[in-house]
Amino acid sequence: MDSPNLPIHQRLIQDPHDRTGHLRTDDAWVKKAWAEESTRVLVVAGNRVEPSGDSGVRWRTPSTSPEGIRLLLGDSPEGARFAVLTGQEEAGEGWLDLRGLFPTMLADTTEASLLMHAIGLAEWHRATRFCTRCGGSLEPRAAGHELACAEGHLTFPRTDPAVIMLVTTGDPGTDEERCLLGNHTRWPAPYFSTLAGFVEPGESLEDAVRREVAEEVGVRVGQVDYFGNQPWPLPASLMLGYFARAETTEVRCDEDEIREARWFTRADLASVAESGEVLLPSGVSISRSLVEAWYGGELPGSW
């Protein structure tokens, strides 16, 4: 059930599906569930899925699904939910990746949860070809949630923690308060977003925020406050959102990653967003939620 007062990134994950993890190793239950008429299957071709005629994605019956790696996504009163992984070449015309589905994902937040699960596992299977301990080939187990080699070594899906932060300076809530947004070297010039980076081994989340900001734009950060989190299976991240208070304001961009970084007051941000001079991230991203939470309302435009 949609709750419009929640930040958009939280609305997207507010109705998680029942993953029924305890049933993944129950081969008899999984086989029986696959044979049920009520079971529905999401076909993932590489990283693309087939949209439905109205909104969301097409769910097939087991009998109309292609061969591939079967993943048990979970169970529900309406029936079990599986995904089948096939090659990218099986994607038909008009099939979309996760980013292409973002505009319609809020129509059914439980379906969005299933999609995140399926795409995350699909990305893991695509990237994990050999055992990291012996180099042997791998076979799926536990309804697609484990991979095992001939030596018995198990490999599990991994999620990499990444911090994403809105850096601010000035008296909070005043017209003079500013936020810092950057344009990555991989993006077109109008695309601006919050800063982000992966957490390194042995590093706290707050220290990762401070290090990444210093490395990317040369700004020293002091206070760091948690905002929220968002799973991001592109390919396997958990985005941990923060507000970070700047102790310095001089910007020195790491030109390998950040082409430009600029400070914006709320009035500045509204003006450039309205004109299209700056395009902000998609409305379903935690980056967008961070910016609009600081701004105090919705902003136009996105990429």
Side-chain angles (χ1 to χ4, degrees):
M1 182 171 61
D2 194 16
S3 299
N5 292 329
L6 287 173
I8 290 179
H9 80 279
Q10 290 183 4
R11 289 161 56 194
L12 188 62
I13 57 173
Q14 68 176 312
D15 294 319
H17 61 288
D18 181 0
R19 294 175 178 240
T20 56
H22 62 290
L23 294 173
R24 294 169 187 164
T25 56
D26 187 337
D27 294 339
W29 187 93
V30 172
K31 182 177 180 180
K32 181 176 182 295
W34 181 261
E36 294 287 343
E37 292 184 3
S38 58
T39 292
R40 292 295 177 265
V41 182
L42 178 68
V43 178
V44 184
N47 64 351
R48 294 178 176 270
V49 298
E50 184 179 11
S52 66
D54 42 13
S55 63
V57 296
R58 179 187 175 193
W59 291 88
R60 305 189 188 194
T61 61
S63 62
T64 59
S65 300
E67 292 297 316
I69 298 174
R70 294 179 188 174
L71 313 176
L72 174 62
L73 301 179
D75 198 16
S76 74
E78 293 76 33
R81 295 294 179 265
F82 285 81
V84 168
L85 307 185
T86 66
Q88 188 81 37
E89 67 279 1
E90 297 296 324
E93 184 177 354
W95 287 43
L96 299 172
D97 62 13
L98 192 59
R99 293 183 188 277
L101 290 164
F102 281 162
T104 61
M105 285 180 70
L106 283 175
D108 186 333
T109 50
T110 299
E111 182 172 270
S113 176
L114 288 160
L115 264 174
M116 291 285 192
H117 188 178
I119 297 299
L121 284 173
E123 293 283 356
W124 175 63
H125 277 272
R126 291 174 67 201
T128 311
R129 299 296 186 183
F130 303 99
C131 176
T132 57
R133 295 181 62 184
C134 69
S137 60
L138 296 167
E139 293 293 330
R141 290 177 36 174
H145 289 73
E146 298 176 8
L147 292 171
C149 71
E151 298 296 322
H153 302 141
L154 294 180
T155 300
F156 299 92
R158 59 177 294 172
T159 297
D160 299 318
V163 291
I164 184 166
M165 46 276 178
L166 184 69
V167 182
T168 62
T169 189
D171 292 335
T174 67
D175 291 342
E176 287 72 37
E177 187 183 19
R178 296 178 292 166
C179 74
L180 183 64
L181 301 177
N183 169 246
H184 201 284
T185 52
R186 297 194 306 266
W187 304 336
Y191 290 9
F192 275 74
S193 184
T194 50
L195 304 178
F198 287 102
V199 180
E200 294 188 348
E203 185 176 44
S204 73
L205 299 172
E206 292 80 5
D207 284 342
V209 170
R210 297 183 182 102
R211 175 185 54 78
E212 284 288 345
V213 174
E215 289 177 355
E216 292 188 350
V217 295
V219 171
R220 187 173 70 246
V221 162
Q223 181 178 340
V224 175
D225 295 313
Y226 179 70
F227 172 72
N229 67 82
Q230 180 178 43
W232 197 253
L234 300 170
S237 303
L238 176 65
M239 307 303 297
L240 300 148
Y242 290 89
F243 288 111
R245 293 295 293 173
E247 294 182 341
T248 62
T249 57
E250 180 185 357
V251 174
R252 299 187 306 276
C253 292
D254 169 13
E255 296 181 359
D256 289 336
E257 292 191 54
I258 303 297
R259 180 185 293 111
E260 180 187 5
R262 294 163 56 183
W263 291 103
F264 299 91
T265 65
R266 290 176 176 82
D268 293 337
L269 193 56
S271 176
V272 295
E274 181 68 35
S275 69
E277 178 185 339
V278 164
L279 293 178
L280 299 171
S282 163
V284 300
S285 71
I286 192 171
S287 178
R288 181 72 173 224
S289 292
L290 276 163
V291 173
E292 292 189 336
W294 173 80
Y295 176 74
E298 296 184 359
L299 288 160
S302 69
W303 51 274

